[in-house]
Amino acid sequence: MGMSANLSRRKTLGLLAALPAGGLAHAYAARRKDGGLGEIAARAGVTYGASAGTVIFDDAEYRLLYLKHCKALTTDVDMKFDWLRPEAGKWDWGPADRLAAFAERTGMTLRGHALIWNENAPDWLKALSLAEIRRVFDEHIETVVARYAGRVAVWDVVNEPFWPGHGKPGGYRAGPWHEAFGPGYVERALKRARAADPHVKLAINEAHCERDDDVGRAIREGMSRLVAQLRDAGAPLDVLGFQGHLQPGRPYDDAAFAAFLRRFSGLELHITELDVNDETFPAAIRKRDALVARRYHDFLSAVLAVPAVNTVINWQLADHYSWYNDLARAGQLRSRRAPRPLPFDSAYRRKPAWFAMARAFRERKAA
Ligand code: G3I
């Protein structure tokens, strides 16, 4: 990074700090026009953004990336059940409120993630009777959706409904909510969320559908069946979210995934957690980055050919904040080297993946 780039970054940080509160949204919008990924995507009819945690309030350089490139923000962990409610009877709204206020004053579309997920129940919830779990389910949805009504634009109401490995009928993911209501918890959650905010867009967010193996195909079938059932039942549903945690070590057929997306007429389709696991790629950074970039481009080219895809969200923006670092440290990846799954590196520089995404957005506009 050259001296002048550092100076100009410092100058920008100083300018933003000096601006009066009322002028911030305008100043941020002006920054984004300067070649930000969000602007490039918008020209192709796509809302682009990333997930974020409260680290953006401590790391000013990281925050600048969001201000420059993102038109949408997803709460990474801070609106999850276990983060809002770490203990029985206690609500911890601070971090979620802070992120919501940030999105509001910078003009970003806020995506709430996630109301109901069978994977993140704190111990206190697991210890309750099924009747109590049912009460907490309704209370949780009503309280959280009502609090952010008018501020959250899209709710991931149910996260990851399917996991065939759990052996439940229909391939549903096991966990307290499924145990309390059976698969009907999905419909119930959507209806409760709609009652608490008549205007927010309601989404089901699913993983692994991009994969072209037994797991991916089984989850795709599950999603198709679930959407048909929800339609028959008159349940409110506006958006399907597909996470897009691409793992090139597994089989993929992007065209088959795009064909699957085309089944869902009348729904918005969002890519909600995009990143590329580079564990199977060569260690040399240039080669690795080129392969990650190619994966981004191939995937986005296929899905952006589907007209209903109107949102693309990265899961964080810079490599050192990716969840893959936790997996690498825990020895859960094939390699312990620092992962490079995102469009920016740990010095906040654009990587080949950034240019691959920009190219995919520009090609959609030209098509
Ligand atoms: O902050 C604590 C830290 O104080 C503590 O020392 C450390 C010890 O484990 O834990 C830290 O918290 C971790 C947190 O990530 C940090 O952000 C939690 O243990 C860990 O469970 C949590 O993982 C999150 C995971 O969901 C589970 O909630 C990841 O950050 C988050 O990126 C990930 O996001 C999921 C989406 O919700 C759904 N799709 C898949 C995606 C990636 O796994």
Side-chain angles (χ1 to χ4, degrees):
M1 176 71 53
M3 170 91 81
S4 60
N6 271 328
L7 274 178
S8 88
R9 200 164 344 139
R10 238 177 282 141
K11 211 164 103 191
T12 316
L13 288 171
L15 278 176
L16 284 177
L19 275 171
L24 281 180
H26 181 71
Y28 295 150
R31 277 194 60 76
R32 278 185 225 135
K33 288 219 171 76
D34 176 25
L37 206 47
E39 252 339 287
I40 297 167
R43 286 185 217 121
V46 176
T47 301
Y48 171 77
S51 70
T54 52
V55 70
I56 62 169
F57 302 118
D58 304 323
D59 181 341
E61 271 195 78
Y62 197 37
R63 183 165 70 245
L64 274 182
L65 288 188
Y66 286 84
L67 298 176
K68 182 169 173 73
H69 296 280
C70 294
K71 287 174 177 275
L73 184 146
T74 300
T75 54
D76 185 324
V77 292
D78 293 296
M79 285 193 185
K80 286 177 175 171
F81 188 100
D82 47 338
W83 290 71
L84 288 176
R85 310 179 73 168
E87 294 163 34
K90 185 179 167 242
W91 290 80
D92 184 3
W93 296 109
D97 282 356
R98 233 179 140 192
L99 286 168
F102 175 78
E104 200 166 16
R105 71 172 181 272
T106 58
M108 292 186 205
T109 299
L110 181 61
R111 185 187 196 95
H113 174 84
L115 288 170
I116 294 295
W117 187 21
N118 273 294
E119 288 297 335
N120 63 339
D123 289 342
W124 69 264
L125 180 74
K126 289 184 196 152
L128 299 180
S129 69
L130 288 183
E132 286 168 324
I133 291 177
R134 290 187 198 109
R135 186 191 59 72
V136 171
F137 180 95
D138 289 350
E139 169 203 66
H140 186 74
I141 295 171
E142 279 153 20
T143 307
V144 181
V145 175
R147 183 180 185 91
Y148 294 109
R151 290 190 284 163
V152 164
V154 187
W155 264 114
D156 285 332
V157 178
V158 174
N159 192 39
E160 300 174 7
F162 295 101
W163 185 248
H166 285 167
K168 297 286 177 195
Y172 280 89
R173 188 179 287 273
W177 311 123
H178 180 270
E179 206 183 325
F181 296 104
Y185 84 89
V186 179
E187 180 185 336
R188 187 181 184 95
L190 291 165
K191 288 183 168 166
R192 294 278 161 166
R194 174 55 74 236
D197 182 349
H199 304 298
V200 69
K201 287 180 185 171
L202 303 178
I204 297 174
N205 192 45
E206 187 51 283
H208 305 300
C209 292
E210 306 82 5
R211 279 162 60 171
D212 193 46
D213 57 10
D214 287 351
V215 169
R217 283 192 287 264
I219 297 180
R220 283 183 209 170
E221 288 316 311
M223 283 292 277
S224 295
R225 250 182 291 116
L226 174 60
V227 169
Q229 284 163 6
L230 291 169
R231 284 202 159 134
D232 287 348
L237 176 65
D238 307 292
V239 176
L240 294 181
F242 296 99
Q243 296 182 0
H245 291 294
L246 306 178
Q247 306 165 69
R250 298 182 184 279
Y252 281 86
D253 178 342
D254 295 332
F257 176 60
F260 160 73
L261 293 182
R262 289 180 196 276
R263 292 185 197 171
F264 300 106
S265 61
L267 292 173
E268 287 184 35
L269 305 178
H270 297 181
I271 304 301
T272 51
E273 306 186 13
L274 185 59
D275 54 22
V276 175
N277 179 353
D278 65 4
E279 67 181 328
T280 57
F281 291 157
I285 283 178
R286 274 180 68 173
K287 270 197 191 145
R288 197 160 21 129
D289 282 0
L291 289 168
V292 167
R294 187 194 294 171
R295 193 68 199 91
Y296 268 101
H297 183 261
D298 290 351
F299 177 73
L300 282 178
S301 294
V303 301
L304 291 175
V306 180
V309 174
N310 64 4
T311 299
V312 173
I313 308 284
N314 271 127
W315 206 240
Q316 297 284 341
L317 276 178
D319 289 333
H320 57 309
Y321 288 119
S322 167
W323 65 292
Y324 280 117
N325 291 281
D326 293 339
L327 298 191
R329 275 192 291 268
Q332 290 168 10
L333 296 181
R334 290 188 212 182
S335 150
R336 277 178 187 263
R337 67 195 181 202
R340 298 177 64 83
L342 287 166
F344 294 89
D345 69 12
S346 57
Y348 310 98
R349 290 173 301 214
R350 291 181 293 178
K351 292 168 53 200
W354 187 97
F355 293 94
M357 295 185 78
R359 185 152 67 90
F361 291 136
R362 290 197 177 106
E363 286 165 353
R364 184 197 225 196
K365 182 176 175 261

